[in-house]
Amino acid sequence: MSVDLEHEPIHDLARRVIRLAEETQHAAQVLERRLDALERRSEAAGRAERILSVAAGMRTHLGRDGLSVEDLYDPDTGLPA
């Protein structure tokens, strides 16, 4: 969009506004990307904590040596039990 400004002070003001608007838009985009990255990291940490919690519960119920490799396979077929 072209704007024909006759007065130099108005032209200077318009350039300053455009420059600031572009910088503000760029800063907003950078902040949005950073926020997205931080939220993804937080979600991943939450998933990891839940997985570790489930694993700890399994250890509690099964005992440290409660499940062996032999328990995982059918002794007759050798297939997973």
Side-chain angles (χ1 to χ4, degrees):
M1 173 181 201
S2 175
V3 177
D4 184 21
L5 301 173
E6 295 179 12
H7 298 7
E8 188 63 30
I10 294 174
H11 186 68
D12 288 340
L13 285 173
R15 272 189 299 204
R16 288 175 57 197
V17 168
I18 290 168
R19 185 173 46 249
L20 287 173
E22 288 174 357
E23 289 174 6
T24 302
Q25 182 179 7
H26 176 70
Q29 291 169 346
V30 168
L31 289 173
E32 285 175 349
R33 281 186 292 231
R34 181 67 177 142
L35 178 61
D36 288 343
L38 290 171
E39 287 174 342
R40 283 191 308 272
R41 183 188 309 168
S42 177
E43 290 169 3
R47 282 191 302 273
E49 287 177 21
R50 288 190 301 276
I51 290 169
L52 292 174
S53 175
V54 168
M58 291 174 68
R59 275 194 304 274
T60 300
H61 285 70
L62 295 173
R64 197 72 161 159
D65 297 319
L67 192 62
S68 68
V69 173
E70 289 80 26
D71 295 326
L72 298 175
Y73 297 96
D74 184 295
D76 297 327
T77 64
L79 297 174

Coordinates of all heavy atoms in Angstrom, one line a residue:
M1 N 0.8 -1.2 0.0 CA 0.0 0.0 0.0 C 0.9 1.2 0.0 O 1.8 1.4 0.8 CB -0.9 0.0 1.2 CG -1.7 1.2 1.4 SD -2.7 1.0 3.0 CE -3.9 2.2 2.6
S2 N 0.7 2.1 -0.9 CA 1.5 3.3 -1.1 C 0.8 4.5 -0.4 O -0.4 4.7 -0.6 CB 1.7 3.6 -2.5 OG 2.4 4.8 -2.7
V3 N 1.5 5.3 0.3 CA 0.9 6.5 0.9 C 1.8 7.7 0.5 O 3.0 7.7 0.6 CB 1.0 6.4 2.5 CG1 0.5 7.6 3.1 CG2 0.2 5.1 2.9
D4 N 1.1 8.6 -0.1 CA 1.8 9.8 -0.5 C 1.7 10.9 0.6 O 0.7 11.4 0.9 CB 1.2 10.4 -1.8 CG 1.9 11.6 -2.3 OD1 3.1 11.7 -2.0 OD2 1.3 12.3 -3.1
L5 N 2.8 11.1 1.3 CA 2.8 12.1 2.4 C 3.6 13.3 1.9 O 4.7 13.2 1.5 CB 3.5 11.5 3.6 CG 2.8 10.2 4.1 CD1 3.6 9.6 5.2 CD2 1.4 10.5 4.6
E6 N 2.9 14.4 2.0 CA 3.5 15.7 1.6 C 4.5 16.3 2.6 O 5.5 16.9 2.2 CB 2.5 16.7 1.2 CG 1.6 16.3 0.1 CD 0.5 17.3 -0.2 OE1 0.6 18.4 0.3 OE2 -0.4 16.9 -0.9
H7 N 4.3 16.1 3.9 CA 5.1 16.7 4.9 C 6.1 15.7 5.4 O 5.8 14.6 5.8 CB 4.2 17.2 6.0 CG 3.2 18.2 5.6 ND1 3.0 18.6 4.3 CD2 2.4 19.0 6.4 CE1 2.1 19.5 4.3 NE2 1.7 19.8 5.5
E8 N 7.4 16.1 5.4 CA 8.5 15.3 5.9 C 8.3 14.8 7.3 O 8.5 13.6 7.6 CB 9.8 16.0 5.7 CG 11.0 15.1 6.0 CD 11.1 13.9 5.0 OE1 10.7 14.1 3.8 OE2 11.7 12.9 5.4
P9 N 7.9 15.6 8.3 CA 7.7 15.1 9.6 C 6.7 14.0 9.7 O 6.8 13.0 10.5 CB 7.2 16.4 10.4 CG 7.7 17.5 9.6 CD 7.7 17.1 8.2
I10 N 5.6 14.1 9.0 CA 4.6 13.1 9.0 C 5.1 11.8 8.3 O 4.9 10.7 8.8 CB 3.3 13.5 8.2 CG1 2.7 14.7 9.0 CG2 2.3 12.4 8.0 CD1 1.5 15.3 8.2
H11 N 5.9 12.0 7.3 CA 6.6 10.8 6.6 C 7.5 10.1 7.6 O 7.5 8.9 7.7 CB 7.3 11.3 5.4 CG 7.9 10.2 4.6 ND1 7.1 9.3 3.9 CD2 9.2 9.8 4.4 CE1 7.9 8.4 3.3 NE2 9.1 8.7 3.6
D12 N 8.3 10.9 8.4 CA 9.2 10.3 9.4 C 8.4 9.6 10.4 O 8.8 8.5 10.9 CB 10.1 11.4 10.0 CG 11.1 11.9 9.1 OD1 11.4 11.2 8.1 OD2 11.6 13.0 9.3
L13 N 7.3 10.2 10.9 CA 6.5 9.5 11.9 C 5.9 8.2 11.4 O 5.9 7.2 12.1 CB 5.4 10.4 12.4 CG 5.7 11.6 13.3 CD1 4.5 12.5 13.5 CD2 6.2 11.0 14.6
A14 N 5.5 8.2 10.2 CA 4.9 7.0 9.6 C 6.0 5.9 9.5 O 5.7 4.7 9.8 CB 4.4 7.3 8.2
R15 N 7.2 6.2 9.1 CA 8.3 5.3 9.0 C 8.6 4.7 10.4 O 8.8 3.5 10.5 CB 9.5 5.9 8.4 CG 9.6 5.8 6.9 CD 10.9 6.3 6.4 NE 11.0 7.7 6.9 CZ 11.8 8.6 6.3 NH1 12.6 8.3 5.3 NH2 11.8 9.8 6.7
R16 N 8.6 5.5 11.4 CA 8.9 5.1 12.7 C 7.9 4.1 13.2 O 8.2 3.1 13.8 CB 9.0 6.3 13.7 CG 10.3 7.1 13.5 CD 10.4 8.3 14.3 NE 10.3 8.0 15.7 CZ 10.0 8.9 16.7 NH1 9.7 10.2 16.3 NH2 9.9 8.6 17.9
V17 N 6.6 4.4 13.0 CA 5.5 3.5 13.4 C 5.6 2.2 12.7 O 5.5 1.1 13.3 CB 4.1 4.2 13.1 CG1 3.0 3.2 13.2 CG2 3.9 5.4 14.0
I18 N 5.9 2.2 11.4 CA 6.0 1.0 10.6 C 7.2 0.1 11.1 O 7.1 -1.1 11.3 CB 6.2 1.3 9.1 CG1 4.9 1.8 8.6 CG2 6.6 0.0 8.3 CD1 5.0 2.4 7.2
R19 N 8.3 0.8 11.4 CA 9.5 0.1 11.9 C 9.2 -0.5 13.3 O 9.5 -1.7 13.5 CB 10.7 1.0 12.0 CG 12.0 0.3 12.4 CD 13.2 1.2 12.3 NE 13.0 2.6 12.9 CZ 13.0 3.7 12.2 NH1 13.1 3.7 10.9 NH2 12.8 4.9 12.8
L20 N 8.6 0.2 14.2 CA 8.2 -0.3 15.5 C 7.2 -1.5 15.4 O 7.3 -2.5 16.1 CB 7.7 0.8 16.4 CG 8.7 1.8 16.9 CD1 8.1 2.9 17.6 CD2 9.7 1.1 17.8
A21 N 6.3 -1.3 14.5 CA 5.2 -2.4 14.3 C 5.9 -3.7 13.9 O 5.5 -4.7 14.3 CB 4.2 -1.9 13.4
E22 N 6.8 -3.6 12.9 CA 7.5 -4.8 12.4 C 8.3 -5.4 13.5 O 8.3 -6.6 13.7 CB 8.4 -4.4 11.2 CG 7.6 -4.1 10.0 CD 8.4 -3.7 8.8 OE1 9.6 -3.5 9.0 OE2 7.9 -3.4 7.7
E23 N 9.0 -4.6 14.3 CA 9.8 -5.1 15.4 C 9.0 -5.8 16.5 O 9.3 -6.8 17.0 CB 10.7 -4.0 16.0 CG 11.8 -3.5 15.1 CD 12.6 -2.3 15.7 OE1 12.3 -1.9 16.8 OE2 13.4 -1.8 15.0
T24 N 7.8 -5.1 16.8 CA 6.9 -5.7 17.7 C 6.3 -7.0 17.3 O 6.2 -8.0 18.0 CB 5.8 -4.7 18.0 OG1 6.3 -3.5 18.5 CG2 4.8 -5.2 19.1
Q25 N 6.0 -7.1 16.0 CA 5.5 -8.3 15.4 C 6.5 -9.4 15.5 O 6.2 -10.6 15.9 CB 5.0 -8.1 14.0 CG 4.4 -9.4 13.4 CD 3.9 -9.1 12.0 OE1 4.1 -8.1 11.4 NE2 3.3 -10.1 11.4
H26 N 7.7 -9.1 15.1 CA 8.8 -10.1 15.2 C 9.0 -10.6 16.6 O 9.2 -11.7 16.9 CB 10.1 -9.5 14.6 CG 11.3 -10.4 14.7 ND1 11.4 -11.6 14.0 CD2 12.4 -10.4 15.5 CE1 12.5 -12.2 14.3 NE2 13.1 -11.5 15.2
A27 N 9.1 -9.6 17.6 CA 9.3 -10.0 19.0 C 8.1 -10.9 19.5 O 8.4 -11.9 20.2 CB 9.3 -8.7 19.8
A28 N 6.9 -10.6 19.1 CA 5.8 -11.4 19.5 C 5.9 -12.9 18.9 O 5.7 -13.8 19.6 CB 4.5 -10.8 19.0
Q29 N 6.4 -13.0 17.7 CA 6.6 -14.3 17.1 C 7.7 -15.1 17.8 O 7.5 -16.3 18.0 CB 6.9 -14.2 15.6 CG 5.7 -13.7 14.7 CD 6.2 -13.3 13.3 OE1 7.4 -13.1 13.0 NE2 5.2 -13.1 12.4
V30 N 8.7 -14.4 18.1 CA 9.8 -15.0 18.9 C 9.3 -15.5 20.2 O 9.6 -16.7 20.6 CB 11.0 -14.1 19.0 CG1 12.0 -14.6 20.0 CG2 11.7 -13.8 17.7
L31 N 8.6 -14.7 20.9 CA 8.1 -15.1 22.2 C 7.1 -16.2 22.1 O 7.1 -17.1 22.9 CB 7.4 -13.9 22.9 CG 8.3 -12.8 23.4 CD1 7.5 -11.6 23.9 CD2 9.2 -13.3 24.5
E32 N 6.2 -16.2 21.1 CA 5.3 -17.4 20.9 C 6.0 -18.7 20.7 O 5.7 -19.7 21.2 CB 4.4 -17.1 19.7 CG 3.3 -16.1 20.0 CD 2.5 -15.7 18.8 OE1 2.8 -16.1 17.7 OE2 1.4 -15.1 19.0
R33 N 7.1 -18.6 19.8 CA 7.9 -19.9 19.6 C 8.5 -20.3 20.9 O 8.6 -21.5 21.1 CB 8.9 -19.6 18.5 CG 8.3 -19.7 17.1 CD 9.4 -19.6 16.1 NE 9.9 -18.2 16.2 CZ 10.1 -17.4 15.1 NH1 9.8 -17.8 13.9 NH2 10.6 -16.2 15.3
R34 N 9.1 -19.4 21.6 CA 9.7 -19.8 22.9 C 8.7 -20.4 23.9 O 9.0 -21.4 24.5 CB 10.4 -18.6 23.5 CG 11.2 -18.8 24.8 CD 12.4 -19.7 24.5 NE 13.1 -19.9 25.8 CZ 13.7 -21.0 26.1 NH1 13.6 -22.0 25.4 NH2 14.3 -21.1 27.3
L35 N 7.6 -19.8 24.0 CA 6.5 -20.3 24.9 C 6.1 -21.7 24.4 O 6.0 -22.6 25.3 CB 5.3 -19.4 24.9 CG 4.1 -19.8 25.7 CD1 4.5 -19.9 27.2 CD2 3.0 -18.8 25.6
D36 N 5.9 -21.9 23.2 CA 5.6 -23.3 22.7 C 6.7 -24.3 23.0 O 6.3 -25.4 23.5 CB 5.4 -23.3 21.1 CG 4.2 -22.6 20.7 OD1 3.2 -22.4 21.5 OD2 4.1 -22.2 19.5
A37 N 7.9 -23.9 22.9 CA 9.0 -24.8 23.2 C 9.0 -25.2 24.7 O 9.2 -26.3 25.1 CB 10.4 -24.2 22.8
L38 N 8.8 -24.1 25.5 CA 8.8 -24.4 27.0 C 7.6 -25.2 27.4 O 7.8 -26.1 28.3 CB 8.8 -23.0 27.7 CG 10.0 -22.2 27.7 CD1 9.8 -20.8 28.2 CD2 11.2 -22.9 28.4
E39 N 6.5 -25.0 26.8 CA 5.3 -25.8 27.1 C 5.5 -27.3 26.7 O 5.2 -28.2 27.4 CB 4.0 -25.3 26.4 CG 3.6 -24.0 27.1 CD 2.4 -23.4 26.3 OE1 2.2 -23.7 25.2 OE2 1.7 -22.5 27.0
R40 N 6.1 -27.5 25.5 CA 6.4 -28.9 25.1 C 7.4 -29.6 26.0 O 7.2 -30.7 26.4 CB 7.0 -28.9 23.7 CG 6.0 -28.7 22.6 CD 6.5 -29.0 21.2 NE 7.7 -28.3 20.9 CZ 7.8 -27.1 20.3 NH1 6.7 -26.4 20.0 NH2 8.9 -26.5 20.1
R41 N 8.4 -28.8 26.5 CA 9.4 -29.4 27.4 C 8.7 -29.7 28.7 O 9.0 -30.8 29.3 CB 10.5 -28.4 27.7 CG 11.6 -28.9 28.6 CD 12.6 -27.9 29.1 NE 13.2 -27.2 28.0 CZ 13.9 -26.1 28.1 NH1 14.2 -25.6 29.3 NH2 14.4 -25.5 27.1
S42 N 7.8 -28.9 29.2 CA 7.1 -29.1 30.4 C 6.2 -30.4 30.3 O 6.1 -31.2 31.2 CB 6.2 -27.9 30.8 OG 5.5 -28.1 32.0
E43 N 5.5 -30.5 29.2 CA 4.7 -31.7 28.9 C 5.5 -32.9 28.9 O 5.1 -34.0 29.5 CB 3.9 -31.5 27.6 CG 2.8 -30.4 27.7 CD 2.2 -30.1 26.3 OE1 2.6 -30.7 25.3 OE2 1.4 -29.2 26.3
A44 N 6.7 -32.9 28.3 CA 7.5 -34.1 28.2 C 8.0 -34.4 29.6 O 8.1 -35.6 29.9 CB 8.7 -33.8 27.3
A45 N 8.4 -33.4 30.4 CA 8.8 -33.7 31.8 C 7.7 -34.4 32.6 O 7.9 -35.3 33.4 CB 9.3 -32.4 32.5
G46 N 6.5 -33.9 32.4 CA 5.3 -34.5 33.1 C 5.1 -35.9 32.7 O 4.8 -36.8 33.5
R47 N 5.3 -36.2 31.4 CA 5.1 -37.6 30.9 C 6.2 -38.5 31.5 O 5.9 -39.6 32.0 CB 5.2 -37.7 29.4 CG 3.9 -37.3 28.7 CD 3.9 -37.6 27.2 NE 5.0 -37.0 26.5 CZ 5.0 -35.8 26.0 NH1 3.9 -35.1 26.0 NH2 6.1 -35.3 25.3
A48 N 7.4 -38.0 31.6 CA 8.5 -38.8 32.1 C 8.3 -39.1 33.6 O 8.5 -40.2 34.1 CB 9.9 -38.0 31.9
E49 N 7.8 -38.1 34.3 CA 7.5 -38.3 35.7 C 6.4 -39.3 35.9 O 6.5 -40.2 36.8 CB 7.0 -37.0 36.4 CG 8.2 -36.0 36.6 CD 7.7 -34.7 37.2 OE1 6.6 -34.6 37.8 OE2 8.4 -33.7 37.0
R50 N 5.4 -39.3 35.1 CA 4.3 -40.3 35.2 C 4.8 -41.7 34.9 O 4.5 -42.7 35.5 CB 3.2 -40.0 34.2 CG 2.3 -38.8 34.7 CD 1.1 -38.6 34.0 NE 1.3 -38.3 32.5 CZ 1.5 -37.2 32.0 NH1 1.7 -36.1 32.7 NH2 1.7 -37.1 30.7
I51 N 5.7 -41.8 33.9 CA 6.3 -43.1 33.5 C 7.1 -43.7 34.6 O 7.0 -44.8 35.0 CB 7.1 -43.0 32.2 CG1 6.2 -42.8 31.0 CG2 8.0 -44.2 32.0 CD1 6.9 -42.4 29.7
L52 N 8.0 -42.8 35.2 CA 8.8 -43.2 36.4 C 7.9 -43.6 37.6 O 8.3 -44.6 38.3 CB 9.8 -42.1 36.8 CG 10.9 -41.8 35.7 CD1 11.7 -40.6 36.2 CD2 11.8 -43.1 35.6
S53 N 6.8 -42.9 37.8 CA 5.9 -43.3 38.9 C 5.3 -44.7 38.6 O 5.2 -45.5 39.6 CB 4.8 -42.2 39.0 OG 3.9 -42.6 39.9
V54 N 4.9 -44.9 37.4 CA 4.3 -46.3 37.1 C 5.4 -47.3 37.3 O 5.1 -48.4 37.9 CB 3.8 -46.3 35.6 CG1 3.4 -47.7 35.2 CG2 2.5 -45.4 35.5
A55 N 6.6 -47.1 36.8 CA 7.7 -48.1 37.0 C 7.9 -48.3 38.5 O 8.1 -49.5 38.9 CB 8.9 -47.6 36.3
A56 N 7.9 -47.3 39.3 CA 8.2 -47.4 40.7 C 7.0 -48.3 41.4 O 7.3 -49.1 42.2 CB 8.2 -46.1 41.4
G57 N 5.8 -48.0 40.9 CA 4.7 -48.8 41.4 C 4.8 -50.3 41.0 O 4.5 -51.2 41.8
M58 N 5.3 -50.5 39.8 CA 5.5 -51.9 39.4 C 6.5 -52.6 40.2 O 6.4 -53.8 40.6 CB 5.8 -52.0 37.9 CG 4.7 -51.5 37.0 SD 5.1 -51.4 35.3 CE 5.5 -53.1 34.9
R59 N 7.6 -51.9 40.5 CA 8.7 -52.5 41.3 C 8.2 -52.8 42.7 O 8.5 -53.9 43.3 CB 9.9 -51.5 41.4 CG 10.8 -51.6 40.2 CD 12.2 -50.9 40.5 NE 12.0 -49.5 40.9 CZ 11.9 -48.5 40.0 NH1 12.0 -48.8 38.7 NH2 11.8 -47.3 40.5
T60 N 7.3 -52.0 43.2 CA 6.8 -52.2 44.6 C 5.9 -53.4 44.6 O 6.0 -54.3 45.5 CB 5.9 -51.0 45.0 OG1 6.8 -49.8 45.0 CG2 5.3 -51.2 46.4
H61 N 5.1 -53.6 43.6 CA 4.2 -54.7 43.5 C 4.8 -56.0 43.1 O 4.5 -57.1 43.6 CB 3.0 -54.4 42.6 CG 2.0 -53.5 43.1 ND1 2.3 -52.1 43.3 CD2 0.7 -53.7 43.6 CE1 1.2 -51.5 43.8 NE2 0.3 -52.4 44.0
L62 N 5.8 -56.0 42.3 CA 6.5 -57.2 41.8 C 7.7 -57.5 42.6 O 8.2 -58.7 42.6 CB 6.9 -57.0 40.3 CG 5.8 -56.9 39.3 CD1 6.4 -56.5 38.0 CD2 4.9 -58.1 39.3
G63 N 8.2 -56.6 43.3 CA 9.5 -56.8 44.0 C 10.6 -56.6 43.0 O 10.4 -56.6 41.8
R64 N 11.8 -56.4 43.5 CA 13.0 -56.2 42.6 C 13.2 -57.3 41.6 O 13.5 -57.1 40.5 CB 14.2 -55.9 43.4 CG 15.3 -55.3 42.7 CD 14.9 -53.8 42.5 NE 16.1 -53.0 42.2 CZ 15.9 -51.9 41.6 NH1 14.7 -51.5 41.2 NH2 16.9 -51.1 41.4
D65 N 13.1 -58.5 42.1 CA 13.3 -59.7 41.3 C 12.0 -60.5 41.1 O 12.0 -61.7 40.8 CB 14.3 -60.6 41.9 CG 15.7 -59.9 42.0 OD1 16.1 -59.2 41.1 OD2 16.3 -60.1 43.1
G66 N 10.9 -59.8 41.1 CA 9.6 -60.5 41.0 C 9.2 -61.1 39.7 O 8.4 -61.9 39.5
L67 N 9.9 -60.6 38.6 CA 9.6 -61.1 37.3 C 10.9 -61.4 36.6 O 11.8 -60.6 36.5 CB 8.9 -59.9 36.5 CG 8.2 -60.3 35.2 CD1 7.1 -61.3 35.4 CD2 7.6 -59.0 34.6
S68 N 10.9 -62.6 36.1 CA 12.2 -63.0 35.4 C 11.9 -63.2 33.9 O 10.7 -63.2 33.5 CB 12.7 -64.3 36.0 OG 11.8 -65.4 35.7
V69 N 12.9 -63.5 33.2 CA 12.7 -63.7 31.7 C 11.9 -64.9 31.5 O 11.1 -65.0 30.6 CB 14.1 -63.8 31.1 CG1 14.0 -64.2 29.6 CG2 14.9 -62.5 31.2
E70 N 12.1 -65.9 32.3 CA 11.3 -67.2 32.2 C 9.8 -66.9 32.3 O 9.0 -67.6 31.7 CB 11.7 -68.2 33.2 CG 13.1 -68.8 32.9 CD 14.2 -67.9 33.4 OE1 14.0 -67.1 34.4 OE2 15.3 -68.0 32.9
D71 N 9.4 -65.9 33.1 CA 8.0 -65.6 33.3 C 7.4 -64.9 32.0 O 6.2 -64.9 31.9 CB 7.8 -64.6 34.5 CG 8.2 -65.2 35.8 OD1 8.0 -66.4 36.0 OD2 8.8 -64.5 36.6
L72 N 8.2 -64.4 31.2 CA 7.7 -63.7 30.0 C 7.4 -64.6 28.8 O 6.7 -64.3 27.9 CB 8.8 -62.7 29.5 CG 9.1 -61.6 30.5 CD1 10.2 -60.7 30.0 CD2 7.8 -60.7 30.8
Y73 N 8.0 -65.9 28.8 CA 7.8 -66.8 27.7 C 7.2 -68.1 28.1 O 7.5 -68.6 29.2 CB 9.2 -67.0 27.1 CG 9.8 -65.8 26.5 CD1 10.7 -65.0 27.2 CD2 9.4 -65.3 25.2 CE1 11.2 -63.8 26.7 CE2 9.9 -64.1 24.7 CZ 10.8 -63.4 25.5 OH 11.3 -62.2 25.0
D74 N 6.4 -68.7 27.3 CA 5.8 -70.0 27.5 C 6.9 -71.0 27.4 O 7.6 -71.1 26.4 CB 4.7 -70.2 26.5 CG 4.0 -71.5 26.7 OD1 4.7 -72.6 26.6 OD2 2.8 -71.5 27.0
P75 N 7.1 -71.9 28.4 CA 8.2 -72.8 28.4 C 8.0 -73.9 27.3 O 9.0 -74.4 26.7 CB 8.2 -73.5 29.7 CG 6.8 -73.2 30.3 CD 6.3 -72.0 29.6
D76 N 6.8 -74.2 26.8 CA 6.6 -75.2 25.8 C 6.8 -74.6 24.4 O 7.4 -75.3 23.5 CB 5.2 -75.7 25.9 CG 5.0 -76.5 27.2 OD1 5.9 -77.0 27.7 OD2 3.8 -76.4 27.7
T77 N 6.4 -73.4 24.1 CA 6.5 -72.9 22.8 C 7.6 -71.9 22.6 O 8.0 -71.6 21.5 CB 5.2 -72.1 22.4 OG1 5.0 -71.0 23.3 CG2 4.0 -73.1 22.5
G78 N 8.0 -71.3 23.7 CA 9.1 -70.2 23.6 C 8.5 -68.9 23.1 O 9.3 -67.9 23.0
L79 N 7.2 -68.8 23.0 CA 6.6 -67.6 22.6 C 6.2 -66.8 23.8 O 6.1 -67.3 24.9 CB 5.3 -67.9 21.8 CG 5.5 -68.7 20.5 CD1 4.1 -69.0 19.9 CD2 6.3 -67.8 19.5
P80 N 6.0 -65.5 23.6 CA 5.6 -64.7 24.7 C 4.4 -65.2 25.4 O 3.4 -65.7 24.7 CB 5.3 -63.3 24.1 CG 6.1 -63.3 22.8 CD 6.1 -64.7 22.3
A81 N 4.4 -65.2 26.7 CA 3.3 -65.8 27.5 C 2.1 -64.9 27.5 O 2.1 -63.7 27.2 CB 3.7 -66.0 28.9

